[in-house]
Amino acid sequence: MNELGDRNQRVGPIAGLGALLREFGIQPRAFGEEFGVDLDRLTPDAREPFGLMLRMLREAAARTGCPHLGLLLGSRYRPTEHGPIHRLMATAPTLRDALLDFVHWQFGYSTAATVYLDRIGDDFAFGYGAYERTAPATPLLYEMCAAIGVTMIHELTGGAVSPVEIHFAHRPAADLAPYQRILRAPVRFNQNQTCLVLRAAALEAPLPGFDPVARARLIQAMAAHGFASLSAAARLRRIVRPQILRDDPSMAGAARVLRVHPRTLRRQLAAEGVSFEQVRDEVRFMLARELLQLTDLPIGDISNALAFATHAAFVRAFRRWSGAPPTVWRAAARLTASPPPSANAARPPEAA
């Protein structure tokens, strides 16, 4: 797995970075030239390496002194800018169908992260997670996606549905006011996943734009780029993170979600030169590092989140992957982490 984040990614909300930098008094042309990107010409449909966009996001937050820059970018991104996916979602009969549309088709926009809709207790998590290491830009990325999700649900349902909570897999910010103002829902930090929590009943909310004829036409037009066009390993990476969080990291569980026999899945993966255990452990290792570095969750809680049978089994696995036990790795990661951006710089009108 490429640690540098070279997987391809639709630019999406990062296209608004130039305009936001200008509000802070930073010239986007000069900023973009440092990364080889013309921010004035960037559009949501453009594609850039995942890691490059994260580095731009982190540097922009540092130079503006705005720790919640991700929230600002996400709040300005309109669902219509999702293009064909938004048009399909808008024709869905219920919010559940619309969110599942996004889950199914999002792979065409990002090959480095996954979106999922999964049960969390009596409710559902509409979650986002990378399966490629993103720290230290992860909090900015996840906050941007959360803000996009809030707007998406609000506009799809005509304001009838809002998340009951929003969870972040990182430590709390020093200033919580922007979260309350932009997200308009209770926020919980130091969680094992980043997600919008929705009531089960809310998923059955009918959508005002339901159009079965237009929906069938859109699905047919998009079918050539469907989920089945991904490799077996790519399909597995997309579903294994929520499987782990659901406490089911098994081959049988993954095969059930992918609707294939376990033997078929193993054979497909072998033909691509990988095993189920390799892909699962890649995602587990990435998620372990994310939670160790970005949260204050106890090691035992992280072990549970990763669906290890025992704390000792997690420690052994992490030592095998990294060469150090989790406690030692966490201490070293915090010592070498980049300092957070200052919160004292001038703010644009939306952040006042």
Side-chain angles (χ1 to χ4, degrees):
M1 184 167 52
N2 189 341
E3 294 281 345
L4 298 178
D6 290 332
R7 296 181 190 272
N8 195 31
Q9 168 79 44
R10 184 175 183 266
V11 167
I14 302 296
L17 183 58
L20 187 55
L21 286 173
R22 192 173 281 112
E23 293 183 31
F24 281 96
I26 297 173
Q27 289 302 313
R29 181 177 294 276
F31 181 91
E33 284 176 352
E34 298 178 31
F35 298 91
V37 176
D38 186 346
L39 288 180
D40 289 328
R41 293 178 177 269
L42 208 57
T43 66
D45 285 326
R47 289 183 177 267
E48 296 288 348
F50 188 62
L52 173 67
M53 290 193 291
L54 293 177
R55 290 192 293 272
M56 286 199 300
L57 189 58
R58 176 67 179 177
E59 185 62 23
R63 294 196 194 178
T64 59
C66 182
H68 58 277
L69 191 80
L71 283 178
L72 290 179
L73 269 178
S75 68
R76 297 179 179 202
Y77 190 66
R78 302 270 60 85
T80 53
E81 294 178 289
H82 278 304
I85 292 180
H86 169 75
R87 291 194 290 274
L88 179 63
M89 295 174 72
T91 66
T94 68
L95 179 59
R96 180 194 298 272
D97 293 298
L99 297 183
L100 289 175
D101 285 341
F102 194 82
V103 168
H104 181 82
W105 296 98
Q106 176 265 350
F107 80 90
Y109 287 173
S110 173
T111 56
T114 187
V115 177
Y116 54 91
L117 183 67
D118 213 352
R119 187 171 286 280
I120 177 172
D122 294 330
D123 302 317
F124 279 82
F126 183 45
Y128 176 91
Y131 43 83
E132 180 167 321
R133 193 178 180 197
T134 60
T138 304
L140 293 163
L141 171 69
Y142 285 1
E143 291 172 6
M144 180 177 71
C145 293
I148 291 171
V150 168
T151 302
M152 177 192 298
I153 290 169
H154 185 269
E155 293 197 7
L156 281 170
T157 63
V161 174
S162 296
V164 292
E165 283 186 343
I166 298 174
H167 292 184
F168 287 115
H170 63 77
R171 298 180 193 88
D175 181 8
L176 297 182
Y179 296 83
Q180 297 162 356
R181 182 178 64 255
I182 293 172
L183 299 177
R184 295 169 291 175
V187 176
R188 295 177 63 186
F189 296 91
N190 279 316
Q191 302 301 300
N192 63 17
Q193 62 182 314
T194 293
C195 64
L196 311 184
V197 180
L198 300 162
R199 297 291 189 221
L203 291 179
E204 307 311 319
L207 301 192
F210 176 46
D211 185 335
V213 175
R215 183 170 178 78
R217 186 166 56 246
L218 285 165
I219 290 174
Q220 184 177 16
M222 296 169 70
H225 307 288
F227 188 66
S229 65
L230 292 172
S231 68
R235 283 183 283 129
L236 179 59
R237 286 189 182 95
R238 284 184 54 79
I239 64 95
V240 75
R241 179 171 177 137
Q243 285 291 110
I244 290 169
L245 292 170
R246 193 189 300 149
D247 197 28
D248 184 13
S250 67
M251 165 73 84
R256 186 165 53 251
V257 172
L258 294 172
R259 298 182 180 180
V260 298
H261 193 278
R263 287 196 297 271
T264 301
L265 178 57
R266 190 172 292 280
R267 186 171 60 251
Q268 292 172 342
L269 292 169
E272 296 171 9
V274 297
S275 69
F276 170 80
E277 291 75 17
Q278 285 175 315
V279 174
R280 180 193 61 193
D281 285 353
E282 283 179 0
V283 177
R284 259 181 167 168
F285 185 31
M286 186 286 304
L287 183 52
R289 287 175 295 177
E290 182 178 295
L291 295 176
L292 286 168
Q293 185 170 356
L294 301 178
T295 77
D296 294 319
L297 286 170
I299 303 298
D301 289 357
I302 294 175
S303 173
N304 291 336
L306 297 176
F308 278 92
T310 65
H311 173 82
F314 169 57
V315 172
R316 286 195 301 272
F318 193 86
R319 186 192 291 271
R320 184 175 68 253
W321 297 331
S322 70
T327 51
V328 174
W329 190 95
R330 169 179 263 177
R334 291 187 179 184
L335 284 175
T336 58
S338 301
S342 167
N344 298 321
R347 298 177 179 178
E350 292 81 357

